[in-house]
Amino acid sequence: MSNFSVISSILDNDFYKFTMQNAVLKLFPSVKARYELINRGKHFFPKDFANIMKETINIMSDLKLSDKEKIFLEKSCPYLDSSYLNFLKEYQYNPKEVSISQIGENIKIRIEGLWYRTILWEVPLMAIISELYYKLIGAKCVPEDTIISSTKEKLIFYKKLEVKIGEYGTRRRFSYKVQNLVLKVLTEEKLPFFIGTSNVHFSHIFSINPIGTQGHEWIMFHAAKYGLNIADRIAMENWLNIYKGKLGIILSDTYTSSIFFKNFNKKLSNFFKGIRHDSGDPIIFIKKTIKHYKKLGINPLEKIIVFSDNLTPKKVAYISSFCKKKIIPFFGIGTNFTNDVGLPTMNLVIKMVETFFDKKWISVVKLSNVKEKSTGKKNMLILARKNLHL
């Protein structure tokens, strides 16, 4: 088991991690961050899980961006400038930034270091946890043929719906092999409604554009630095300053959608192509979004909502039928593509919990549209809700 390795490329990560890393390097190079594993599903981990995981991440310190990968990024992501790509060429994972411990069947994972360095750990660690867990408990997934035919069936279904879909499943994949298999099916027919994958490594392998928005940590840091009430707005303005509208989808639920829309002023609503829905009732969110755009005199039919919250074909059908002739829906499908293998899926997240600037550590919180998805210390969550009148 000591040769177990699931991360073979530095690009085997979500696209938004690199775009956020670039922005953090440019705007907040001295800020530090702490992240922790949150075991929402109360999963029990097998014996030696932490030790095998440590061996696995130690191997990651050898990964480096290859010349071919750098050329791919230059061509497919022109908004990532040469200074950032030169930085990434020299970047290497430092396993000392990650501490993993196990007591009985519980594991603890903590990441700490400069934010621009530690930002890349979350997604590969989640992918390792998922693959290693299934391997160590001896879980057998359905045969490859079943995964291929199931993915093809979903594609036929999405084609009939006339919706645009992307693959967002790296962090909760059953295995690297399954994600590779699924993307092979998704890309081989060159279907116009498949818009790409959030995984930059697979984007390179299959010659497709990487896709993505931002993570909650981008806005959570802004809340710690500038205040909860204006975090969304300043985070959006900083994103615009870095990317000049090129990466035009913004995340909407770090401090609930109602707070987001208060920050989403006319200038920002015009500049950004659309918003991402990641928690709460999608229909209520669609109605709120349309109302917001109409109030500002903006045609919602020219704007996009990217849906990414635990999507299934049935859910996509339901949402897309409601969006018809109202607003443009895109769907980022994760677990249902990369871990639909006949086994229970895991419910884990790794979230930023503290950030360090102005000589002190500050706790950060996320107040999702759904309470179960909120993260942070209990007393800080109560205080945040009080401050925001939620």
Side-chain angles (χ1 to χ4, degrees):
M1 192 59 77
S2 59
N3 293 327
F4 175 83
S5 174
V6 283
I7 309 295
S8 58
S9 162
I10 209 154
L11 295 185
D12 189 0
N13 206 326
D14 277 343
F15 176 59
Y16 72 22
K17 284 292 178 174
F18 300 104
T19 55
M20 284 194 297
Q21 184 182 49
N22 175 46
V24 171
L25 258 174
K26 301 228 179 348
L27 300 176
F28 309 111
S30 62
V31 168
K32 290 180 188 172
R34 281 180 183 148
Y35 302 78
E36 282 178 9
L37 174 73
I38 301 164
N39 186 354
R40 284 181 184 158
K42 306 279 189 287
H43 303 283
F44 295 116
F45 291 87
K47 194 184 169 195
D48 270 345
F49 190 93
N51 290 331
I52 297 165
M53 197 161 168
K54 281 178 197 172
E55 289 176 28
T56 307
I57 67 163
N58 283 338
I59 298 164
M60 287 172 65
S61 63
D62 296 331
L63 297 175
K64 287 201 84 174
L65 190 75
S66 71
D67 291 337
K68 281 182 180 176
E69 287 172 330
K70 189 183 178 196
I71 291 163
F72 168 74
L73 291 175
E74 283 167 349
K75 284 180 180 171
S76 61
C77 313
Y79 32 79
L80 294 175
D81 62 17
S82 58
S83 68
Y84 171 67
L85 294 180
N86 290 337
F87 159 81
L88 194 59
K89 189 84 171 73
E90 297 306 312
Y91 178 92
Q92 283 176 282
Y93 282 108
N94 179 1
K96 287 178 182 170
E97 293 165 345
V98 184
S99 67
I100 306 167
S101 60
Q102 181 167 357
I103 298 168
E105 294 176 314
N106 298 310
I107 62 160
K108 277 190 175 181
I109 296 178
R110 183 174 244 212
I111 306 159
E112 184 181 319
L114 284 163
W115 188 19
Y116 73 79
R117 284 200 46 81
T118 53
I119 201 164
L120 290 191
W121 276 113
E122 176 198 346
V123 177
L125 285 181
M126 290 278 290
I128 291 165
I129 292 167
S130 185
E131 182 159 351
L132 185 56
Y133 175 81
Y134 290 117
K135 207 172 189 90
L136 289 182
I137 65 168
K140 294 279 183 283
C141 81
V142 294
E144 282 189 15
D145 288 354
T146 309
I147 295 167
I148 291 165
S149 60
S150 161
T151 307
K152 283 182 176 173
E153 278 170 30
K154 288 170 195 170
L155 278 181
I156 292 162
F157 184 79
Y158 293 135
K159 191 176 183 178
K160 279 181 188 165
L161 288 180
E162 297 179 332
V163 294
K164 291 203 182 297
I165 57 156
E167 184 275 317
Y168 273 29
T170 301
R171 68 186 61 222
R172 292 188 180 92
R173 66 193 183 197
F174 176 78
S175 65
Y176 175 92
K177 194 178 177 183
V178 166
Q179 189 173 16
N180 189 36
L181 201 60
V182 167
L183 276 160
K184 205 173 177 191
V185 175
L186 292 174
T187 54
E188 64 190 2
E189 290 185 46
K190 306 238 179 305
L191 297 163
F193 64 88
F194 175 64
I195 56 170
T197 172
S198 64
N199 186 299
V200 189
H201 165 64
F202 285 119
S203 295
H204 178 219
I205 285 177
F206 293 106
S207 303
I208 49 177
N209 283 335
I211 54 171
T213 53
Q214 318 74 32
H216 293 99
E217 66 188 282
W218 177 248
I219 300 134
M220 287 158 76
F221 164 76
H222 281 78
K225 187 164 176 67
Y226 302 105
L228 291 156
N229 281 292
I230 56 170
D232 281 305
R233 179 172 61 78
I234 299 178
M236 283 187 267
E237 284 172 355
N238 278 335
W239 198 256
L240 265 184
N241 290 339
I242 296 288
Y243 291 112
K244 319 294 181 206
K246 286 281 193 295
L247 295 168
I249 305 292
I250 202 78
L251 185 56
S252 66
D253 72 332
T254 313
Y255 299 108
T256 75
S257 298
S258 55
I259 299 298
F260 169 80
F261 283 119
K262 284 178 187 172
N263 281 271
F264 200 36
N265 59 31
K266 189 164 186 175
K267 174 196 155 188
L268 294 168
S269 295
N270 272 306
F271 267 110
F272 282 99
K273 281 183 238 164
I275 51 189
R276 175 157 75 98
H277 169 268
D278 196 47
S279 66
D281 187 311
I283 305 304
I284 292 171
F285 183 78
I286 295 161
K287 288 175 180 173
K288 270 189 184 175
T289 305
I290 290 166
K291 188 181 174 185
H292 174 82
Y293 282 132
K294 283 184 172 173
K295 189 178 78 182
L296 297 176
I298 296 166
N299 182 2
L301 280 167
E302 292 173 1
K303 296 293 182 180
I304 294 163
I305 301 178
V306 176
F307 296 92
S308 60
D309 182 23
N310 201 18
L311 296 174
T312 60
K314 192 179 174 183
K315 203 169 172 184
V316 170
Y318 173 61
I319 294 168
S320 65
S321 71
F322 190 83
C323 287
K324 276 221 162 70
K325 296 183 181 170
K326 295 188 189 92
I327 198 159
I328 304 163
F330 277 34
F331 298 93
I333 299 160
T335 313
N336 189 256
F337 269 147
T338 60
N339 204 343
D340 184 16
V341 296
L343 294 164
T345 55
M346 301 189 84
N347 187 3
L348 303 159
V349 290
I350 291 173
K351 287 289 175 192
M352 182 194 276
V353 290
E354 289 176 287
T355 179
F356 184 90
F357 58 91
D358 295 340
K359 297 178 183 172
K360 61 182 180 288
W361 284 101
I362 296 170
S363 291
V364 296
V365 296
K366 175 191 164 207
L367 294 175
S368 173
N369 291 324
V370 178
K371 269 196 175 174
E372 303 81 71
K373 280 190 155 191
S374 296
T375 61
K377 289 176 184 167
K378 203 174 178 182
N379 63 325
M380 293 297 289
L381 287 168
I382 292 165
L383 196 64
R385 285 194 184 98
K386 198 176 171 185
N387 285 349
L388 294 169
H389 307 291
L390 293 170

